[in-house]
Amino acid sequence: MTTLPPRAPNGLHVLDLCSGAGGLSMGYYLAGYDVTGVDLHPMPNYPFTFHQADALEYLERITASGEIERYDLVHASWPCQHFANVTNWRGNSADHPDLLTPGRELMQAAGRPWVIENVPEAPLRPDYLLCGSQFGLNVRRHRAFETSWGGGGDLLPPCWHHKGLLPFMHKAERAYADAMGCTWMNKTEARQAVPPAYSEWIGQQYLTHHQAAAPAA
Ligand SMILES: C[S@@+](CC[C@H](N)C(=O)[O-])C[C@H]1O[C@@H](n2cnc3c(N)ncnc32)[C@H](O)[C@@H]1O
């Protein structure tokens, strides 16, 4: 059982679809959100409330039932293998379905603010394109985020690939997982994880956008 770090709750709740073992869930938590995760596979190390389910079916069902209204923000990390360059180095992208395209349609139909994360080569609008080096993490890991609010917000330092920055390597997986900030995961879970710092920052950008868009009291 992971001991969660203290944080200041903001009263908002994120549904994290395709949560894996919770890299991005942890970032939303640190930004103050409560988090519920959904993944196709069991995730015994996931630190928050978890449902094992197909995320497309789950989202469609809770949109139809109205349960979606419990969530202030819907995040999805649709599997990247269909789009990732690395898939074609080691296999065939046609063996992996595109869940991003139907997933985005369901997220738009759900009517809640949303965030989609994927590899930069995926067909999404990079409202935010983030690298570990922008957050002082010793990892080179680029991820793109498309949002329902179209991006904007605080400036970050540029990506800086200095000597010594860790690229993903199987022989140093534990060190890479820890450098991402995914210390509670095993190294297999961390292969697909995204650093919590990315979603902590995006969660903060959403709050700024949400507060700016709220009608004056
Ligand atoms: C890129 S990983 C997610 C990483 C996670 N966001 C993190 O930061 O730790 C994609 C996840 O999608 C899950 N997945 C694949 N197909 C799925 C489906 N149909 N429904 C739900 N989850 C699915 C995989 O098990 C995997 O954990």
Side-chain angles (χ1 to χ4, degrees):
M1 189 76 183
T2 308
T3 306
L4 292 171
R7 53 80 193 251
N10 65 21
L12 301 183
H13 197 158
V14 174
L15 177 65
D16 185 3
L17 301 170
C18 306
S19 63
L24 291 176
S25 290
M26 183 61 85
Y28 285 116
Y29 166 83
L30 292 172
Y33 297 81
D34 289 334
V35 187
T36 296
V38 175
D39 201 282
L40 195 54
H41 301 293
M43 290 291 160
N45 290 323
Y46 185 78
F48 310 105
T49 305
F50 178 76
H51 302 291
Q52 186 182 352
D54 178 284
L56 292 171
E57 289 174 12
Y58 189 87
L59 181 58
E60 192 165 28
R61 180 164 56 75
I62 69 167
T63 299
S65 70
E67 197 188 327
I68 191 73
E69 298 297 325
R70 286 190 197 172
Y71 299 102
D72 300 284
L73 184 62
V74 178
H75 174 101
S77 291
W78 303 110
C80 63
Q81 288 86 350
H82 182 79
F83 308 107
N85 293 334
V86 69
T87 304
N88 285 327
W89 303 342
R90 296 187 191 143
N92 187 347
S93 60
D95 294 340
H96 303 275
D98 167 14
L99 302 192
L100 192 160
T101 305
R104 183 195 280 114
E105 284 172 16
L106 286 177
M107 291 171 89
Q108 286 168 334
R112 309 304 290 153
W114 51 262
V115 179
I116 297 175
E117 173 272 328
N118 221 284
V119 290
E121 57 268 35
L124 47 64
R125 186 186 63 223
D127 293 329
Y128 305 110
L129 182 59
L130 303 179
C131 172
S133 63
Q134 294 174 285
F135 296 93
L137 302 176
N138 196 33
V139 291
R140 178 173 170 164
R141 196 161 184 80
H142 296 116
R143 288 295 180 271
F145 295 80
E146 180 176 319
T147 67
S148 58
W149 66 94
D154 297 323
L155 291 176
L156 279 168
C159 197
W160 181 37
H161 294 171
H162 58 80
K163 221 174 166 184
L165 204 60
L166 296 176
F168 177 79
M169 276 190 303
H170 282 289
K171 66 181 181 193
E173 281 184 299
R174 182 71 261 160
Y176 190 83
D178 292 345
M180 283 198 293
C182 295
T183 49
W184 70 96
M185 296 182 191
N186 66 41
K187 58 188 187 181
T188 311
E189 292 165 338
R191 271 178 209 165
Q192 294 205 51
V194 183
Y198 297 9
S199 49
E200 183 176 0
W201 187 81
I202 285 180
Q204 289 158 356
Q205 304 318 300
Y206 174 67
L207 284 181
T208 305
H209 165 82
H210 174 66
Q211 282 154 5

